[in-house]
Amino acid sequence: MLNESEGERYRRQTMIFGEEGQERLKRATVFIAGTGGLGCPIALYLAAAGVGRIRLADRDTVDLSNLNRQVLHGTPDLGRPKVVSAAEKLAALNPEIAVEAIRTVIDAATVAGLAAGADVIVDAMDNFETRYLLNGAAVERGIPLVHGGISGFFGQATTVIPGRTPCLRCLFPVPPPDETFPALGTTAGVIGLVQANETIKYLTGSGDLLAGRLLLWDGARSTMETIPVERQAGCPACGHLHEEVRP
């Protein structure tokens, strides 16, 4: 049940999905992988919306080159762990929620523990090696994965529902070359908010998800479109799920 303070804090959004939807948010645990350009707006808006437990995982410290886009960190945070800096800001924004700040590498040894108990996994990473690990954890445990990525003015997002939609390996069977890509704060903001919105919709049962659709944002032209995407029967990550649902 919502307490009196929560009832007032979330009054304008319970007009959308009711107290039952808000209580679903309160009971939810969301694992956000990364507290950088995407992770910051995702975490900020999920905290504001009242997601009850937010689990942040990142190994890095705040660097000056981060500050054009990583909006939970400021100049006084330089050199501090990103998860600590982010957790402090989220706690100040909404003391009604719990924030777990886990400073760790997301790898094959840690991903299962980080995903344990999560209702949604949010991919806020900048490399496909880690994204594939998150995708594997999501598929194995049947947890939705909300993916986002950016480069310069361009961004993309989709929501993976294991067994029902294409997984990340279906969409990107071969990772792009590892490189330092341009990053604009406004692009990260747009895509991060799409990811936060997808998470809220899933948890409250509202609206239509980006399930089986890839959203493409072109900030240079201010256009946004979605294209249909399909499951790949031979996908090494989720192909076995498709076989299981065949008659």
Side-chain angles (χ1 to χ4, degrees):
M1 294 290 292
L2 303 179
N3 61 38
E4 184 177 350
S5 174
E6 289 170 328
E8 180 60 23
R9 179 183 289 268
Y10 307 125
R11 179 165 57 90
R12 295 287 288 273
Q13 65 191 44
T14 54
M15 295 170 67
I16 304 168
F17 39 69
E19 285 198 14
E20 181 182 349
Q22 191 62 51
E23 288 167 3
R24 289 180 185 175
L25 291 178
K26 182 177 180 177
R27 293 192 299 267
T29 296
V30 174
F31 164 36
I32 302 174
T35 50
L38 290 170
C40 283
I42 294 165
L44 183 66
Y45 278 88
L46 292 184
V51 170
R53 181 170 295 274
I54 295 175
R55 181 177 301 148
L56 306 173
D58 199 310
R59 69 175 177 180
D60 291 337
T61 57
V62 180
D63 181 82
L64 188 60
S65 66
N66 301 149
L67 300 186
N68 78 310
R69 63 198 182 280
Q70 300 184 14
V71 293
L72 284 177
H73 315 305
T75 302
D77 298 310
L78 293 175
R80 302 180 68 211
K82 288 183 181 179
V83 289
V84 174
S85 168
E88 288 180 355
K89 312 306 191 305
L90 300 181
L93 172 67
N94 191 350
E96 304 280 2
I97 67 169
V99 182
E100 299 177 48
I102 304 172
R103 189 181 183 192
T104 187
V105 177
I106 302 173
D107 59 17
T110 62
V111 69
L114 293 169
D119 297 290
V120 180
I121 299 171
V122 187
D123 164 24
M125 301 304 299
D126 60 1
N127 70 87
F128 269 80
E129 180 182 359
T130 309
R131 285 181 168 134
Y132 286 155
L133 289 172
L134 296 171
N135 182 70
V139 169
E140 182 179 341
R141 290 161 179 78
I143 304 171
L145 173 70
V146 180
H147 160 74
I150 67 164
S151 180
F153 276 110
F154 303 94
Q156 64 189 31
T158 192
T159 296
V160 173
I161 309 294
R164 194 181 117 201
T165 71
C167 79
L168 215 55
R169 281 272 191 184
C170 293
L171 272 61
F172 308 105
V174 178
D178 226 3
E179 61 180 346
T180 300
F181 54 86
L184 185 65
T186 50
T187 307
V190 169
I191 298 301
L193 295 191
V194 168
Q195 290 179 269
N197 193 56
E198 287 292 287
T199 303
I200 291 168
K201 287 191 299 179
Y202 174 77
L203 293 173
T204 60
S206 305
D208 296 321
L209 297 169
L210 286 170
R213 296 183 293 147
L214 181 66
L215 178 146
L216 301 172
W217 163 249
D218 180 347
R221 296 191 301 132
S222 295
T223 61
M224 184 179 285
E225 61 179 325
T226 61
I227 58 173
V229 288
E230 296 183 353
R231 298 182 294 184
Q232 302 301 316
C235 175
C238 74
H240 66 288
L241 296 181
H242 310 157
E243 293 171 3
E244 290 170 3
V245 298
R246 289 177 186 168

